[in-house]
Amino acid sequence: MGRQLMTGMSGRSEDARIPGVVDDLAGFPGVAPLGHVLSRREFLRMLEVLGRFAGSRRQLVLLLMDVSHFDWVNDAFGLEAGDHVLAVLAEAVRRVAGAASVVGRLDGDQFGILAFVESESAALDIAGEILAVVRAPLAVDGELIHLKARVGICPYVLHDDPKAATLRYAGAALSEAKCRDADEPVFSSPADRQVVERRVSTYRSLHRALQARELRIAYQPVVNLRSGHAEGVEALLRWRTRHGLQIGPEEIVPVAEDTGLIGPLGQWVLDEALSTAAARSAAVGMPILVAVNLSARQFGDPGLVAAVARTLARRHVPPSQLAIEVTESLAVDETRAARIFAELQALGCRVGLDDFGTGQSCLSYLRSLPIDFIKIDRSFVVELDRDLRARRLVQTIVALARDLGLVTVAEGVETEPQRLAAAEAGCLYGQGYLFGRPELEA
Ligand code: C2E
Ligand code: MG
Ligand code: MG
C-alpha cells in the first residue's frame, strides 16, 4: 500500500510492570496463547472463562477502550492505513497491559482488556498507561497523527448473568467517559451500576407497560394570567408499575429515546391526550386546548406529521386545539425541526419551545424555527419574586417574544408573588402548583 507506518514515541517496554497487577495469566486454565489480540468471540469466551476465577484472590476487571474520532483516520488516510493503525495500537495496548491481561478487538475501533488486579487503583493505572500509549503520536504516510481514546472500567460483577452485566456496566462507564470527553478513565461505581440496572429494567417493563395500560397521563392547567381562567392543559406522562412503583417522565423518556420506544410511546401519549381533550371539550361545551410534549428524537420519524394529522382526525379534535412542546435544551437538527414545525403549523397546530432559556441555542432557535409560543423555564420563574436580575431577564424574554409575535407561558408558578411578577413582566399564561398540580383523569 506504499504507506509507511510505525509507532512513534509510544515505545513502552514489554516488561513495564504496573504495581498491584498480577504478573502472569499463563497459569489460568483456558487462557489462550497470549501475545495476540483476540477476536470479539474469543474475547467474550475469555471473559466467561476468567470470570470463574474472579474475586478468588484478585479482582478481574474489564476495560473497554474506544479510539475517539477514528473515522477521520480512515477518511484521511484510507481504510487500509486505518486498519494498520488499529493493529499497531492493539499491539501497543497489549504490551502496556502486559502478560497479566487479555486484549481483544471488539468492534471497529473498540478494544476490551481483561486483567486481574489487586485494587481499583491498579486498574486505573493500566487505563492511564493505555490512554498514554494511544496519545503518543503515530507516523502514518510520513505524517504524525495524534489519537486519543476513552476508557470505561468495571470489575467482574456478581449477577445472574455476570458476563452480560459486566459488559453492560463497562459500556456505560465508557459512554460516561466519552460524555465527559476528558483524558481520564471512568470506573463504574456500585451507584452507576444501579442506574444502569434501573434503566434496563425500565426498558424491559416499558414494552409491557405500553400494552398493559400501566401508563397514564396527568393533566395540569394552563391559566390565563389576566383572566385567571384555565384555557388549556398540559399532558404529562405518568407510570405506576404493577409493583406499585411510580416512575416519572424524566426517567422514562431518556430510556424510550435511547431504545427507539419513543415513537410508540409518543404516539400513545398523543392519542390519549387528544381523546381526553375531545371528551372534556364535549363535557364543558367549549374547546379545551391540550399541550403535548414531543421528544426531538421523534423528528427522525418521517411519518410524524402524518401520524399527528391522522390522530387528530380519529379523535375528532380540530388541530387548533393541539399545542406541541419541544424542549429547547435538546440538540436538534434545526433545518429538519424547522420543516416539521412548519408542517405542524400548516396542519393548524401550535408549536412552541419548552423550558426556554435553559439550552444553549435559545436565540438561534428563535431565529430559525417557526414557533407560536415559548414556555419560560421554571428556574427563572422561581427567582422572579426575589431576584431583580431574574425579573429583568423574564421581562426581556417576554418583550423579545412579544416583538416576534410569540405567546409566553411562565412555568412552575408556585406562589402568589411569582404569579404577580410573571403577570407584571407581561407573561400571558402561567402554569404551576399555584393553579393546580398535574392530576390523573378520574
Ligand atoms: P415539562 O414539559 O417542562 O413539564 C413541566 C414539569 O414541571 C412537569 O414535571 C410538572 O409536573 C412540573 N411542574 C409543574 N408545575 C410545577 C411547579 O409549580 N413546581 C414544580 N417544582 N414543578 C412543576 P414532570 O411531569 O415530571 O415532567 C418532566 C418533563 O418530562 C416534562 O417537563 C417534559 O419535558 C417531559 N415529559 C413529560 N411527559 C412527556 C411526554 O409525554 N413525552 C415527552 N417526550 N416528554 C414528556
Ligand atoms: Mg412541557
Ligand atoms: Mg418545561
Side-chain angles (χ1 to χ4, degrees):
M1 73 184 161
R3 293 186 192 279
Q4 173 219 352
L5 205 145
M6 56 177 213
T7 42
M9 294 145 221
S10 61
R12 306 216 167 232
S13 70
E14 178 98 30
D15 53 23
R17 285 278 175 262
I18 299 165
V21 177
V22 180
D23 281 346
D24 208 318
L25 275 183
F28 280 96
V31 170
L34 291 173
H36 81 287
V37 174
L38 304 185
S39 70
R40 180 185 170 84
R41 232 177 110 236
E42 291 167 326
F43 185 83
L44 295 181
R45 172 85 190 112
M46 198 56 78
L47 174 59
E48 212 169 282
V49 171
L50 294 180
R52 293 191 205 127
F53 301 92
S56 49
R57 269 177 44 236
R58 271 116 174 182
Q59 181 64 61
L60 175 65
V61 287
L62 167 65
L63 294 86
L64 289 183
M65 177 194 103
D66 188 278
V67 185
S68 312
H69 313 301
F70 196 75
D71 39 345
W72 282 95
V73 175
N74 284 330
D75 289 347
F77 299 98
L79 291 177
E80 267 180 75
D83 280 350
H84 211 84
V85 169
L86 285 176
V88 170
L89 279 183
E91 182 50 28
V93 167
R94 198 191 59 74
R95 273 191 287 136
V96 161
S101 66
V102 172
V103 177
R105 184 168 167 197
L106 296 182
D107 182 27
D109 49 15
Q110 199 176 93
F111 293 87
I113 300 106
L114 285 169
F116 279 98
V117 294
E118 285 174 350
S119 64
E120 185 174 316
S121 71
L124 287 167
D125 286 343
I126 298 180
E129 298 262 329
I130 288 173
L131 288 169
V133 92
V134 177
R135 254 196 328 268
L138 272 171
V140 181
D141 232 0
E143 275 180 55
L144 278 185
I145 62 164
H146 298 264
L147 292 170
K148 60 180 185 172
R150 298 290 171 245
V151 174
I153 314 170
C154 183
Y156 193 83
V157 289
L158 281 175
H159 193 279
D160 294 345
D161 187 353
K163 184 172 90 171
T166 305
L167 280 164
R168 193 155 66 228
Y169 302 151
L174 175 61
S175 299
E176 176 60 27
K178 286 185 191 172
C179 220
R180 289 188 203 165
D181 199 28
D183 228 9
E184 280 167 4
V186 171
F187 199 101
S188 163
S189 71
D192 295 336
R193 302 204 278 276
Q194 258 180 15
V195 171
V196 175
E197 269 317 283
R198 199 167 155 118
R199 278 174 69 86
V200 170
S201 92
T202 302
Y203 171 62
R204 279 202 197 116
S205 22
L206 199 51
H207 280 286
R208 198 202 52 240
L210 256 167
Q211 273 129 42
R213 303 199 56 81
E214 286 175 11
L215 298 177
R216 307 281 297 276
I217 309 257
Y219 296 90
Q220 185 178 35
V222 180
V223 171
N224 183 317
L225 290 177
R226 290 193 197 133
S227 68
H229 295 311
E231 291 188 6
V233 289
E234 176 172 7
L236 295 160
L237 186 61
R238 295 290 177 266
W239 180 14
R240 192 181 152 85
T241 69
R242 57 183 172 165
H243 308 297
L245 209 65
Q246 303 275 5
I247 303 182
E250 311 271 25
E251 206 172 322
I252 306 166
V253 171
V255 172
E257 285 178 338
D258 285 356
T259 56
L261 270 179
I262 194 68
L265 182 67
Q267 176 57 40
W268 178 83
V269 171
L270 180 69
D271 190 59
E272 195 69 18
L274 289 179
S275 119
T276 303
R280 284 198 189 183
S281 302
V284 297
M286 57 182 252
I288 301 280
L289 238 140
V290 65
V292 170
N293 293 282
L294 207 79
S295 158
R297 291 279 179 94
Q298 290 174 258
F299 292 170
D301 172 5
L304 176 70
V305 179
V308 172
R310 264 199 316 275
T311 315
L312 284 161
R314 185 168 62 238
R315 295 297 177 189
H316 306 291
V317 176
S320 57
Q321 267 175 258
L322 175 65
I324 302 252
E325 302 184 1
V326 180
T327 299
E328 185 261 331
S329 59
L330 283 179
V332 294
D333 171 344
E334 288 187 42
T335 318
R336 182 195 288 259
R339 200 189 65 234
I340 292 173
F341 280 23
E343 287 173 11
L344 289 167
Q345 284 177 328
L347 269 186
C349 305
R350 290 159 224 217
V351 285
L353 293 176
D354 208 346
D355 308 330
F356 187 83
T358 51
Q360 286 156 12
S361 330
C362 47
L363 288 182
S364 162
Y365 287 164
L366 282 188
R367 183 174 46 79
S368 63
L369 300 178
I371 50 171
D372 304 291
F373 64 93
I374 55 175
K375 287 187 133 178
I376 301 170
D377 190 64
R378 186 161 63 87
S379 54
F380 297 98
V381 177
V382 158
E383 300 285 329
L384 259 185
D385 53 337
R386 45 174 195 246
D387 181 27
L388 186 66
R389 280 161 71 99
R391 196 147 60 225
R392 287 265 190 283
L393 258 171
V394 172
Q395 284 165 351
T396 309
I397 293 173
V398 173
L400 183 65
R402 201 184 296 126
D403 271 358
L404 295 172
L406 308 178
V407 166
T408 43
V409 186
E411 282 188 328
V413 180
E414 292 185 358
T415 66
E416 188 52 32
Q418 285 168 5
R419 182 192 70 80
L420 261 177
E424 270 168 22
C427 275
L428 212 53
Y429 293 95
Q431 187 178 343
Y433 296 166
L434 180 70
F435 311 111
R437 290 189 175 245
E439 301 261 5
L440 293 170
E441 279 282 271

